[in-house]
Every structure is written in structure tokens, then in C-alpha cells.
Amino acid sequence: MAQIEELPGSDDEVTYDHKNSNVFLAFIDTAVKETDELTVEDTFIGGEPIWLHPDSIPDSKLLECKNCHSLENMKLLLQAFAPLDEEQMEEVQLKYNKNVNLESINSNDDRVLYIFICTNCQRKDKAIRCIRGTRKNEHSNDINKKISNVIDDEGKDFQINPFDISNNNMNNPFGNNPFQSNGNDNPFANSINKKNDINTSGPSTKTLRKMHDAEKDKEFDKDKSFKCYLLYVEEEKFTNKPDHLKLPKNLKINKDALELSEKNIEEDLEKDPVKVDPRTEKLSQFLDDDVFQKFQEIVGYNPSQVLRYDIGGTPLFYSKVANLKLFENAIPKPDYNPSSRRIFEMQLMPKMILDLEETVSIKEGMEWGTILVFTDMENTTPQFDEHNVGYVEEFCKIQWESLS
């Protein structure tokens, strides 16, 4: 099982200023418009799933809530286009010191993760499900070859829509042609697939962006779907320290004022018995949770993140894990490939709730702190249909927004 380490407490002398991590962060790019045509190579939150083939849909048992067994209440949280790179997975294999069968890992295959939530079963782990879909491709998905084929077939040359992927990008964890993001480009493959012909004498990228943003947002049935947003990705950086972590330069602390004797504490409790109320103590323990404080600190550098991607890495825990060994053992091996193991791949962040829920309801709204997604290290799909498509279920672990 993956070695999941508890993050250091806030008293540790570790600083994150001006240091980069191996994590990729996803942020809201734009709401999906009526004219946008999404494909399986897009990554987005909300909306409706785009299956790997119109005639290849997962078994209904994979799409229902494991608690209430409803199909109607399951809404899509995230669809992520996440092909795997063979060299990267070999490095993961070395990290876990495990001989892994890499036969099912092919960067040319379409690989998509779908995360669903049952809006009728809040605070129940089994109400959130992850489906991994794979479509085997024997041809290359290289964007340059696709462009070349269009030019050869149609006899015309055109530039790619500036909202589509760049053929110069190299580090995108969600695309089979990863790229280096400059913070302005949408890194996910074919983020907005409009098929428009654009020439060099046409409007600037900035103008095209304004034109796109001015279009009408695509409407979804609120009973079936959340509003849909496309995402862009950047490497996690710690260059902008959050204001709440900065201490005033002229701050002076009177140490004498911080020293309290047992007598002082006892007198305070006699005057204010609420301090020993078990509920107050429980809340205090939660607020004093070093892991939660570290979660806030790290997220504070990039507060708009809705997704963290770090396959084979370490989750950013929302709250303390009482027993890490038990936590590891609770991550089941894939029943369709019991000789393998599941590793951490990505996690959904609470900012996503604010984006998806147009009206926040304390009674009915989502209230998870983070959703951790673990997938089969060997990426096995036991069965493919006539369209070379197969679906399996992966494992989600939820840390809730508040103590139960």
C-alpha cells in the first residue's frame, strides 16, 4: 500500500516560499458556452459526462449510488482526461519498489477519470464514486499528425483555436501530449473544440477570449447536472505568500502576557465553564489540527485551485489521519487486478464546491473537505468492448468538511 506520510505540523521550520513541488494544480478557466463542443480530451467540472464512445457506456451498476442505489441523484463532479506516460509510471514503480506489469500503460490510449456524487446521500463515503475509462488506440494521438491529416485531407491550412492545446507544451499531466504551461494557456487537451478557422490577420487571442466569454453559458438541468466549467493547469508554486501568513514587521510580543499558571487556568474555567464543554473542546482540537493548518497554509498560496494532480505522490490531507497504517490498509486493491495496488493520483479541493453550487445550502449542499482518488498502478482494464472501450471503478476516500 502507498506510503502516505502525515504532513509536518505548522511549528516545523519548513517553508514553502519560492519553492516548487511536483504537483499540478487545476483552476477554473471558463464556463462552457452554448457553442462549445466538448470531447473526451477535455477536462472539466460539472456538466454531463462525455463517454469514450457514444455506444460504450458504463454498466448502470457503476453509475448508481452505493447507498440509495439511485441513478437520478448522481451528478458529475469532474471529468479528467489523464493518459499515462510509460516512463513516468516506470519511475512510480521504482518509488514503490514493486514489479509492475506495464502492458496496460500506453500514452496513446485515451484514459479518463469520472467522479460522481450522490446529492441525496451527503456525508456517506459510498455516495462518491470514481470510474476509470480507457479506449485503446493503436494510432498516435500526436497533435501535429492530426493537423497534418486535416491539411492533407481537406487541402487547407489553418491555425489551432487559441483556446485549444498548444503543440509546444510538455508537462501537462492530463494530456497525452504534456506541455509547459505559462499560466495563461488552457493546458487540457482540446479545451474548447470550436473548429474555427483562424488566420494570422484575424482578431488577437485577447479579443477572441473576450468574444468567447461574452457568449451565453450552456444551460444544464440543475436536477441532473452542476454548471460546467473548463479547467487549466499550472505547476504548483509557492511564490506569493498569503497575507495571513505574513507577520507585521513591527510586531512585538510580550512574553509575560503569554505565561499562564495552572491557577490562572483553573480560575478562568470556573468563571467560564463553556471552556470545558466537550463540543467546544472537539472544535478546538479540530482548529488546532496541525494537518488542517498545513492544508490551509499550502492551499493559501493558490487559493483558487479546484484539483491537485500528483500520480504516485502524497495526498494533501485535510485533517489528521489517526492511524496511517490503517488508512493505507483501507485502500483496497483492485478486485479486477488483485496482484496490483492502488496509488494516489489526484484530489478534489473544496473550492470546487463554491464553483459548482450556484446557491449554497447548509442543509443540502456538499460539505467535503477533500476527495482523494486512488487508481490501479498497472492501469488494468479486464475487458474491452467492440469499440475498444472498457470501464472499471477506482477508489475514493473522503475527508469531510467538519468533524462528525
Side-chain angles (χ1 to χ4, degrees):
M1 202 56 60
Q3 296 297 316
I4 302 173
E5 299 178 357
E6 190 166 344
L7 292 171
S10 57
D11 292 335
D12 289 9
E13 295 181 355
V14 178
T15 62
Y16 295 89
D17 299 271
H18 309 290
K19 291 184 180 179
N20 297 342
S21 72
N22 295 319
V23 179
F24 288 86
L25 305 179
F27 305 87
I28 296 293
D29 182 17
T30 178
V32 171
K33 306 297 181 178
E34 288 185 339
T35 56
D36 295 337
E37 299 177 7
L38 302 184
T39 73
V40 296
E41 294 184 351
D42 293 309
T43 294
F44 52 90
I45 63 173
E48 299 172 351
I50 308 296
W51 302 115
L52 289 163
H53 188 280
D55 296 325
S56 297
I57 299 175
D59 187 279
S60 60
K61 289 294 183 182
L62 289 176
L63 298 175
E64 69 178 25
C65 173
K66 285 188 174 182
N67 293 299
C68 67
H69 303 289
S70 166
L71 289 170
E72 292 75 18
N73 295 320
M74 295 293 281
K75 290 185 178 182
L76 182 70
L77 284 175
L78 168 75
Q79 175 167 333
F81 181 65
L84 297 180
D85 178 75
E86 293 92 334
E87 292 185 6
Q88 182 183 28
M89 295 310 296
E90 287 176 356
E91 293 179 2
V92 172
Q93 173 183 347
L94 293 174
K95 176 180 177 179
Y96 289 95
N97 193 27
K98 181 176 177 61
N99 292 325
V100 179
N101 183 351
L102 300 178
E103 292 181 0
S104 297
I105 298 174
N106 187 334
S107 60
N108 291 325
D109 292 343
D110 293 329
R111 179 178 181 270
V112 178
L113 297 178
Y114 306 86
I115 312 294
F116 292 89
I117 185 172
C118 177
T119 56
N120 191 49
C121 296
Q122 293 294 334
R123 299 193 61 79
K124 296 180 180 179
D125 287 7
K126 292 182 179 180
I128 298 178
R129 303 186 70 172
C130 173
I131 298 173
R132 172 170 56 82
T134 304
R135 177 171 60 191
K136 296 187 70 64
N137 293 319
E138 296 184 3
H139 58 81
S140 171
N141 284 334
D142 185 86
I143 189 67
N144 293 313
K145 291 185 178 180
K146 289 182 178 181
I147 296 173
S148 176
N149 290 338
V150 172
I151 295 174
D152 293 341
D153 293 342
E154 300 183 11
K156 63 178 180 179
D157 192 0
F158 61 90
Q159 292 184 340
I160 296 300
N161 187 307
F163 296 110
D164 288 347
I165 63 172
S166 164
N167 57 5
N168 296 320
N169 298 318
M170 295 303 295
N171 283 333
N172 176 16
F174 294 103
N176 53 1
N177 289 304
F179 65 85
Q180 178 68 38
S181 172
N182 62 8
N184 297 316
D185 299 327
N186 185 342
F188 298 100
N190 295 325
S191 290
I192 301 176
N193 191 10
K194 295 182 140 196
K195 311 299 185 186
N196 291 336
D197 290 353
I198 300 175
N199 55 53
T200 55
S201 62
S204 66
T205 299
K206 186 176 181 179
T207 300
L208 288 169
R209 177 62 189 237
K210 288 183 177 180
M211 292 170 59
H212 177 266
D213 290 345
E215 293 180 9
K216 185 178 180 180
D217 293 349
K218 185 174 182 179
E219 295 184 1
F220 294 88
D221 185 342
K222 294 182 179 179
D223 293 331
K224 298 179 180 179
S225 307
F226 297 112
K227 186 174 180 179
C228 189
Y229 297 89
L230 287 157
L231 306 181
Y232 71 92
V233 71
E234 294 179 359
E235 290 182 81
E236 183 176 36
K237 296 179 181 179
F238 301 98
T239 54
N240 298 314
K241 192 168 186 176
D243 291 337
H244 72 278
L245 297 179
K246 299 176 182 178
L247 294 176
K249 294 181 179 180
N250 60 348
L251 178 66
K252 295 181 180 180
I253 299 176
N254 185 344
K255 293 184 179 180
D256 292 336
L258 299 178
E259 295 178 358
L260 294 176
S261 65
E262 292 184 8
K263 183 178 179 180
N264 296 139
I265 296 174
E266 291 174 359
E267 289 177 353
D268 287 343
L269 292 178
E270 289 178 1
K271 295 177 182 178
D272 190 1
V274 74
K275 291 185 178 180
V276 292
D277 187 309
R279 293 167 296 178
T280 305
E281 182 180 2
K282 193 171 188 179
L283 177 60
S284 177
Q285 290 175 350
F286 181 70
L287 293 176
D288 289 339
D289 185 339
D290 287 340
V291 176
F292 177 68
Q293 295 298 330
K294 186 58 66 178
F295 180 94
Q296 288 188 311
E297 179 182 343
I298 293 178
V299 173
Y301 284 90
N302 302 280
S304 298
Q305 59 184 278
V306 298
L307 179 69
R308 298 175 65 86
Y309 190 92
D310 185 18
I311 189 165
T314 302
L316 177 60
F317 289 113
Y318 185 80
S319 58
K320 282 184 179 178
V321 175
N323 187 311
L324 291 176
K325 191 64 178 178
L326 291 178
F327 181 88
E328 292 177 349
N329 293 336
I331 302 172
K333 294 182 178 180
D335 54 6
Y336 49 83
N337 188 22
S339 64
S340 182
R341 66 189 299 173
R342 283 194 172 101
I343 57 173
F344 174 72
E345 181 162 354
M346 66 181 185
Q347 66 188 100
L348 282 58
M349 304 300 286
K351 170 65 167 56
M352 186 183 295
I353 298 176
L354 299 178
D355 294 310
L356 294 178
E357 292 190 335
E358 297 184 50
T359 57
V360 179
S361 169
I362 297 177
K363 183 178 179 181
E364 300 177 356
M366 295 183 287
E367 52 185 13
W368 41 267
T370 187
I371 300 174
L372 310 174
V373 180
F374 298 83
T375 56
D376 178 18
M377 181 187 289
E378 296 184 348
N379 198 48
T380 299
T381 302
Q383 185 175 359
F384 291 90
D385 63 13
E386 65 273 21
H387 304 295
N388 291 324
V389 173
Y391 297 97
V392 295
E393 182 172 14
E394 296 292 11
F395 181 73
C396 293
K397 178 63 180 175
I398 300 90
Q399 289 191 310
W400 299 106
E401 185 273 338
S402 59
L403 295 178
S404 56

